[in-house]
Amino acid sequence: MGWYLLRRLGAAVIVVLIASVVVFLGVRALPGDPAVVLAGENPTPQVIASIREQYGLDKPLPVQYFDYLKHLVTGDLGQSTQDKLPVSQILANRIPVTLELAVLAMLVAIVVGVLFGTIAAARRGKFSDYTATGFGLLGLSVPHFWLGLLAILLFAVKLRWLPASGYVPFSENPAQNLERMILPAVVLGTGFAAVLMRQTRSAMLGALSADYVRTARSKGLSGPRVVGVHALRNSLTTVVTVLGLQLGGLISGAVVTEQIFVIPGFGKLTVDAVLTRNYPVIEAVVLVTVVGYIVVNLLVDVAYAALNPRIRLAGATNG
Amino acid sequence: MADVLTTPAPAAVAVAGRSDRWRRMWRRFYRKPMSLTGLILVVLFLLLALLGPALFGDPTAVHFDDVLGAPSGAHLLGTDDLGRDQLARIASGARVSLEAGVLSTALAMVVGIPIGLVAGFYRRYLDSVVMRAVDVVLSFPFLVFAVGLAAILGPSLRNVVFALGVSQIPAIVRITRGEVLSVREQDFVAGAIADGANDATILFRYVLPNAANALIVQATVAIPAAIIGEATLSFLGLGVQPPTPSWGVMLTTAQQFLSQAPWLAVWPGVMIAVTTLGFNLLGDGLRDVIDPRSAR
Amino acid sequence: MTQQRSAAGRRAGTPLLSVEDLHVSFGTEDGLVQAVKGVSLTLAPGEILALCGESGSGKSVTAMSVPRLLPPTARVSGAVRLDGRDLVQLNASELRALRGSDVSVVFQEPMTSLNPSFTVGFQITEVLHRHEKLSRRAARARAVELLELVGIPDPAGRLKEYPHQLSGGMRQRVMIAIAVACEPRILIADEPTTALDVTIQAGVLDVFRSLRDRLGTAIVLITHDLGVVADIADRVAVMYAGRIVEQAEVTELFARPLHPYTRGLLGALPSAARLDGTQRRRLREIPGMVPAPYSDPDECPFAPRCPIAADDCTASRPSLDRQGDGDGHLAACFHPGLSTVEAVDA
Ligand SMILES: Nc1ncnc2c1ncn2[C@@H]1O[C@H](COP(=O)(O)OP(=O)(O)OP(=O)(O)O)[C@@H](O)[C@H]1O
Ligand code: SF4
Ligand SMILES: [Mg+2]
């Protein structure tokens, strides 16, 4: 497995480099003076000057690129044109917020999706199957942001159970933090729960008709043990694969959800940066997304390998 | 389908068996109430998108004397903050959704099908390169891509279609390639190759017709995804720009007046959900018909 | 040798298992499928009964009715008595207590019957923990013993391996180890050697034999292979279209098949004595089709394919009756033992 990981890591580095070139060229392909473009909506002379200095815009492109890489490696991502803060500091503030949202949403999706997918498969053709399948289809069809609006309308405006929006850091007040994160996390998690439920159901149906499940029954094991241990264990690779494929969607979903619930995370940063043409931030955001995306995909692959004895053991003997 | 594929003279048999085969597929399709519901929803959506704008009046006509009006006889779905009729805007929004869904899917097909054909057919040379690239793009957050595009080119429906189309390409490539690989294995194709049929003949006579089914099913996935994508981007202000009525734009307005005029938030969302649901049901139904084994 | 074995097997007192007028049907989209239509059987302790017959004749469904390992669409009636207790009346948890301990099963597909995600050790000890109060260590030690019993070299090392690391023959032995772990009184083996090659098959049969000898396990062996039947079985029941059409001790059946269907299956056999588990001898194909399982007209179900069918054969259905001088040879035929030539003359 070590060798396999190394290969994956190599590929990841290459993709990141390619992405950095694309981002680098993307901003420079804009019409007009890149320094002015990078300075955004209110290009004061100081900002333009500092950008020229930061990017070395008078030098040839390859040199600029290597300078840019050098800055990247040292963690220098430039300065936001809006509040003049270092982009790296902004990211450090925003990313944990989005991570929390994403992790909570994933938890919701996994618990709901895997649980109901399993129940639906185990009770195929029964009322609970139709109910779960129906909700799954509905969950797939309802866009996140509308669900978010409805949730705010119901829980915050009508019932006044939860605050409509706003954010309190976990470190400041865990209870308030969770109170404000629960609605966004459920909203973001619902769509993924639906996808996961459908895939889990279909994988479990396959597993439940497998010969080894019949063997498990012939041992006198209880229904929950047959379904929850023997069949589910073999469906987990599907679950992990689906989670991996949904990551892109999760990031996109976080952007929208943060916008609706006014959560100062990475997604809101992204949209705000685009709307204010804050190019240093946009550059950084795209690059961070690529890196984050690759890292998480790598983790998914590792989990996949760890779940499948065939891959795990093949790697172990090969080095 | 299998009986057609394994017979020695597929073209002739396919023609002879076609009407019968369609009838059989149609019977299997409409026996399921879910599939039929999907078809009806999709047809209603198409009717609304094509005829609605002409029937329900001007979606941009402003009436300052009747802003944020609740649903009434004059305005069945109420009016927004500028007194514009919500029903007219829903109808025009359907048109925008249809454009986004169909154009982006068409773009993905136009680009993706040739790539998939080539990758599958000239496997030895191009396949691994193409598939690696597809893997990279496959689940990259499309929204971030669209955001980047909006940042560079400015927000517009055209850019939304472009971003959505590009994000759908990998799926199309995969499906086409998979079909090429499986059709190549079939005896009659091997026979045609042995008889010296050229690549173009094989691709267009044998491979494409067989891939068509899978691609149609994929369209029922891609179109609603694009409809949601367009609405999402427009909601964020990165897509269709006001005053053009898009369901996403309408919900942006609704969000601002959530407590004064909650009804504004209902219909655009219901339309998105119902349309998407229709396509999903239709897709599930078609999948059952085309590949009964996948029906679980 | 064959003689001795069959005598020892059958007459050992009261039956361990008795199946009485078993009916099994499945509700399907196309209608009710009658898979088993009134099967009666007995099994003595330590007896090995072979179930033969064409594909779809209801062998598996009959056998799986004992531990009721049937899909939920199955409807079962009749009685299946183990020690006088009717298993058809048991509820789900009583059945579970029975499966894997009193009645266990070895399935046909060794490649897929083990769970690919768990180690061999886990899958063996699981059944031990389910039915017996054993410590982890004791269960492990027992698992090693079991693997030794079924002839797997380096048993301790194998415990940590996954199914994909084992060959088909090894996997089938692991399946058998799981099945016999709790010393069952009845072992149902559904075509246990069909997927294996001949040399491995002989080894698997040896395992069954020693099991019977050591523990007195009674075995229901479903097979298409006459070599296997001749090698190991005490008694044979031949099934056709959901019914038993002939039943006899193994030497008797090979020497004097009475039902035209059995004769067709056996074909021109040299003699039972020359068959053993190191050769493959598949049942012969018989021309014609098995009747559709949806209807059950009152006639001999084999009549459309029977070379000696006469008018009376379609007038009513022959019952499974004792034939000859009381040696427990049963056949369901109006013209038992008649050859084709005789039938034409008559
Ligand atoms: N779950 C089921 N649903 C419907 N019909 C079934 C089901 N299981 C078995 N049958 C039918 O019952 C009949 C007997 O099946 P069974 O599996 O017992 O045959 P078999 O004698 O074991 O054949 P084989 O040698 O192929 O294993 C067949 O006609 C089969 O189609
Ligand atoms: S009863 Fe008649 S048809 Fe049936 S097997 Fe005997 S001879 Fe043949
Ligand atoms: Mg069988």
Side-chain angles (χ1 to χ4, degrees):
Chain A
M1 203 157 110
W3 180 233
Y4 166 78
L5 277 184
L6 214 63
R7 251 193 4 230
R8 292 291 325 236
L9 215 60
V13 170
I14 292 172
V15 175
V16 171
L17 279 178
I18 294 175
S20 72
V21 174
V22 171
V23 169
F24 171 82
L25 290 178
V27 171
R28 275 151 196 81
L30 296 174
D33 180 353
V36 178
V37 173
L38 282 167
E41 281 180 330
N42 44 352
T44 59
Q46 302 100 292
V47 173
I48 293 179
S50 90
I51 285 173
R52 262 190 222 293
E53 194 260 335
Q54 151 97 15
Y55 290 86
L57 288 172
D58 37 2
K59 297 183 198 153
L61 270 183
V63 178
Q64 286 186 35
Y65 175 67
F66 280 108
D67 282 350
Y68 166 76
L69 265 192
K70 231 185 291 169
H71 285 293
L72 271 189
V73 171
T74 56
D76 177 4
L77 297 167
Q79 208 182 55
S80 161
T81 57
Q82 291 307 112
D83 44 17
K84 308 291 182 280
L85 289 172
V87 173
S88 51
Q89 189 191 324
I90 299 179
L91 287 178
N93 287 335
R94 301 295 192 104
I95 288 176
V97 178
T98 300
L99 276 185
E100 187 194 348
L101 176 64
V103 168
L104 288 177
M106 270 290 174
L107 280 180
V108 170
I110 291 174
V111 170
V112 174
V114 174
L115 188 69
F116 286 97
T118 304
I119 291 175
R123 307 193 50 79
R124 179 189 190 177
K126 304 245 170 69
F127 180 73
S128 37
D129 181 17
Y130 289 125
T131 313
T133 313
F135 273 105
L137 215 51
L138 215 59
L140 274 192
S141 309
V142 173
H144 289 123
F145 64 96
W146 185 52
L147 197 63
L149 287 186
L150 290 186
I152 292 177
L153 199 56
L154 179 64
F155 293 108
V157 178
K158 288 262 182 295
L159 299 173
R160 299 189 179 281
W161 285 355
L162 296 166
S165 59
Y167 176 75
V168 178
F170 189 79
S171 52
E172 218 168 81
N173 186 335
Q176 279 190 19
N177 168 278
L178 286 180
E179 194 181 68
R180 275 149 217 259
M181 288 301 255
I182 186 132
L183 214 47
V186 169
V187 164
L188 180 53
T190 309
F192 301 103
V195 178
L196 212 54
M197 197 230 88
R198 278 164 67 98
Q199 300 285 348
T200 304
R201 176 176 179 273
S202 121
M204 282 295 287
L205 283 179
L208 285 172
S209 65
D211 291 335
Y212 58 78
V213 162
R214 191 181 55 181
T215 305
R217 288 219 174 86
S218 81
K219 290 176 175 179
L221 302 176
S222 67
R225 185 162 172 105
V226 171
V227 174
V229 174
H230 282 269
L232 188 57
R233 181 63 177 70
N234 284 282
S235 305
L236 281 186
T237 45
T238 308
V239 171
V240 169
T241 309
V242 174
L243 282 181
L245 286 173
Q246 292 301 311
L247 282 175
L250 188 71
I251 297 174
S252 301
V255 172
V256 189
T257 311
E258 289 178 5
Q259 200 69 18
I260 299 168
F261 289 95
V262 200
I263 297 169
F266 185 76
K268 186 150 183 356
L269 178 70
T270 307
V271 177
D272 292 348
V274 174
L275 294 178
T276 57
R277 304 190 161 260
N278 194 340
Y279 285 103
V281 172
I282 294 172
E283 261 190 356
V285 156
V286 173
L287 207 60
V288 166
T289 308
V290 174
V291 173
Y293 172 70
I294 287 170
V295 168
V296 182
N297 259 311
L298 211 60
L299 293 179
V300 167
D301 280 359
V302 172
Y304 190 83
L307 279 173
N308 188 334
R310 230 170 250 268
I311 299 180
R312 187 169 71 225
L313 297 174
T317 42
N318 292 347
Chain B
M1 198 171 99
D3 50 340
V4 175
L5 290 184
T6 48
T7 35
V13 176
V15 172
R18 183 153 292 158
S19 68
D20 191 48
R21 186 178 135 202
W22 282 113
R23 208 172 309 135
R24 223 175 330 131
M25 283 173 134
W26 169 245
R27 213 177 313 127
R28 210 187 300 153
F29 182 84
Y30 85 67
R31 235 194 262 153
K32 296 216 171 137
M34 284 305 201
S35 319
L36 207 60
T37 311
L39 183 64
I40 292 171
L41 290 179
V42 169
V43 168
L44 287 180
F45 164 70
L46 292 178
L47 287 178
L48 180 66
L50 296 174
L51 308 178
L55 291 178
F56 298 117
D58 183 1
T60 52
V62 174
H63 303 281
F64 284 114
D65 49 346
D66 186 14
V67 298
L68 296 180
S72 65
H75 302 284
L76 284 178
L77 304 181
T79 57
D80 68 5
D81 57 323
L82 300 177
R84 296 176 295 198
D85 180 51
Q86 283 296 95
L87 182 57
R89 292 180 68 74
I90 289 274
S92 297
R95 172 80 57 91
V96 171
S97 291
L98 181 65
E99 271 174 44
V102 169
L103 291 181
S104 66
T105 305
L107 171 69
M109 298 244 174
V110 165
V111 180
I113 292 175
I115 297 179
L117 288 178
V118 166
F121 210 73
Y122 303 101
R123 224 177 139 188
R124 217 169 319 152
Y125 312 104
L126 291 169
D127 194 35
S128 61
V129 178
V130 171
M131 290 325 286
R132 201 55 40 81
V134 161
D135 279 340
V136 171
V137 190
L138 185 62
S139 49
F140 185 78
F142 112 86
L143 204 68
V144 174
F145 175 66
V147 162
L149 212 64
I152 295 174
L153 302 175
S156 72
L157 179 59
R158 196 193 54 205
N159 294 337
V160 168
V161 166
F162 183 72
L164 290 166
V166 170
S167 69
Q168 294 285 355
I169 290 175
I172 304 286
V173 171
R174 288 208 148 198
I175 289 166
T176 313
R177 170 180 173 272
E179 292 292 322
V180 175
L181 293 185
S182 77
V183 170
R184 279 195 69 142
E185 303 290 308
Q186 306 283 341
D187 289 346
F188 67 85
V189 174
I193 295 174
D195 289 348
N198 66 28
D199 292 356
T201 311
I202 291 167
L203 283 179
F204 291 105
R205 283 266 306 272
Y206 302 111
V207 177
L208 261 191
N210 279 295
N213 284 339
L215 289 170
I216 290 170
V217 171
Q218 179 59 26
T220 65
V221 176
I223 292 176
I227 289 177
I228 289 194
E230 181 277 320
T232 307
L233 284 173
S234 301
F235 175 74
L236 293 175
L238 304 174
V240 175
Q241 295 298 299
T244 309
S246 142
W247 292 341
V249 170
M250 293 173 73
L251 284 170
T252 314
T253 311
Q255 187 185 17
Q256 292 159 15
F257 303 100
L258 209 48
S259 40
Q260 297 116 287
W263 59 87
L264 290 182
V266 175
W267 284 103
V270 168
M271 290 308 296
I272 299 172
V274 167
T275 307
T276 312
L277 184 68
F279 276 103
N280 283 334
L281 289 173
L282 179 65
D284 282 359
L286 288 179
R287 223 182 314 253
D288 287 358
V289 170
I290 288 166
D291 180 13
R293 279 161 303 160
S294 75
R296 282 195 159 143
Chain C
M1 176 191 116
T2 325
Q3 298 279 1
Q4 204 181 13
R5 190 181 66 208
S6 43
R10 196 171 50 82
R11 303 214 196 282
T14 53
L16 171 66
L17 178 80
S18 83
V19 175
E20 291 153 27
D21 198 27
L22 178 75
H23 288 258
V24 183
S25 55
F26 299 95
T28 71
E29 281 179 12
D30 304 319
L32 200 67
V33 172
Q34 302 184 342
V36 176
K37 310 168 195 167
V39 162
S40 298
L41 272 179
T42 59
L43 193 64
E47 186 180 27
I48 300 184
L49 170 73
L51 268 186
C52 293
E54 285 170 308
S55 195
S57 55
K59 306 181 296 291
S60 299
V61 174
T62 303
M64 296 308 161
S65 302
V66 178
R68 198 110 50 85
L69 283 170
L70 295 170
T73 50
R75 269 171 262 167
V76 182
S77 69
V80 176
R81 285 185 218 288
L82 177 66
D83 286 338
R85 188 162 71 136
D86 187 0
L87 306 188
V88 174
Q89 306 304 328
L90 296 189
N91 65 27
S93 90
E94 290 167 330
L95 276 170
R96 279 200 300 273
L98 185 96
R99 292 177 192 148
S101 64
D102 286 324
V103 181
S104 38
V105 184
V106 176
F107 296 99
Q108 178 176 356
E109 298 82 9
M111 302 311 279
T112 51
S113 287
L114 293 174
N115 194 322
S117 294
F118 296 104
T119 61
V120 166
F122 176 92
Q123 299 189 52
I124 299 178
T125 51
E126 184 180 38
V127 69
L128 291 168
H129 287 304
R130 166 67 180 87
H131 295 292
E132 285 165 27
K133 293 273 162 283
L134 281 182
S135 69
R136 281 175 92 87
R137 180 173 305 171
R140 215 191 91 91
R142 181 95 180 90
V144 173
E145 269 174 46
L146 285 163
L147 288 184
E148 236 159 41
L149 173 75
V150 296
I152 289 185
D154 181 25
R158 292 287 181 184
L159 286 186
K160 290 193 283 293
E161 296 195 345
Y162 287 87
H164 77 268
Q165 295 168 293
L166 306 178
S167 69
M170 285 293 166
R171 287 189 216 182
Q172 192 62 302
R173 281 158 194 255
V174 172
M175 259 315 294
I176 296 172
I178 292 171
V180 304
C182 299
E183 309 197 340
R185 312 184 50 206
I186 299 175
L187 179 70
I188 292 166
D190 193 350
E191 305 189 33
T193 61
T194 308
L196 308 178
D197 62 81
V198 195
T199 44
I200 298 168
Q201 164 175 308
V204 168
L205 293 183
D206 280 339
V207 172
F208 284 156
R209 227 187 314 264
S210 75
L211 206 82
R212 192 264 307 269
D213 295 342
R214 282 175 16 133
L215 303 174
T217 308
I219 300 175
V220 177
L221 182 73
I222 299 174
T223 180
H224 283 114
D225 191 329
L226 295 175
V228 171
V229 174
D231 191 9
I232 194 171
D234 300 312
R235 204 150 46 92
V236 187
V238 179
M239 289 194 70
Y240 183 74
R243 290 192 176 85
I244 293 179
V245 294
E246 182 159 13
Q247 185 180 313
E249 279 185 13
V250 67
T251 40
E252 164 76 6
L253 189 91
F254 276 96
R256 222 160 54 87
L258 293 180
H259 196 284
Y261 177 65
T262 314
R263 296 176 151 218
L265 290 178
L266 295 182
L269 274 189
S271 88
R274 276 203 246 145
L275 285 169
D276 63 56
T278 60
Q279 294 165 292
R280 281 266 144 119
R281 185 75 204 214
R282 304 284 300 184
L283 297 175
R284 286 253 304 232
E285 301 281 332
I286 300 175
M289 294 261 291
V290 183
Y294 304 108
S295 68
D296 191 23
D298 191 18
E299 59 178 27
C300 174
F302 190 57
R305 300 167 71 186
C306 182
I308 59 169
D311 288 347
D312 54 340
C313 299
T314 48
S316 63
R317 191 169 41 233
S319 55
L320 186 63
D321 292 328
R322 193 166 292 266
Q323 309 286 338
D325 23 285
D327 207 39
H329 195 152
L330 310 178
C333 175
F334 292 127
H335 310 286
L338 216 61
S339 76
T340 318
V341 184
E342 288 163 328
V344 170
D345 291 344

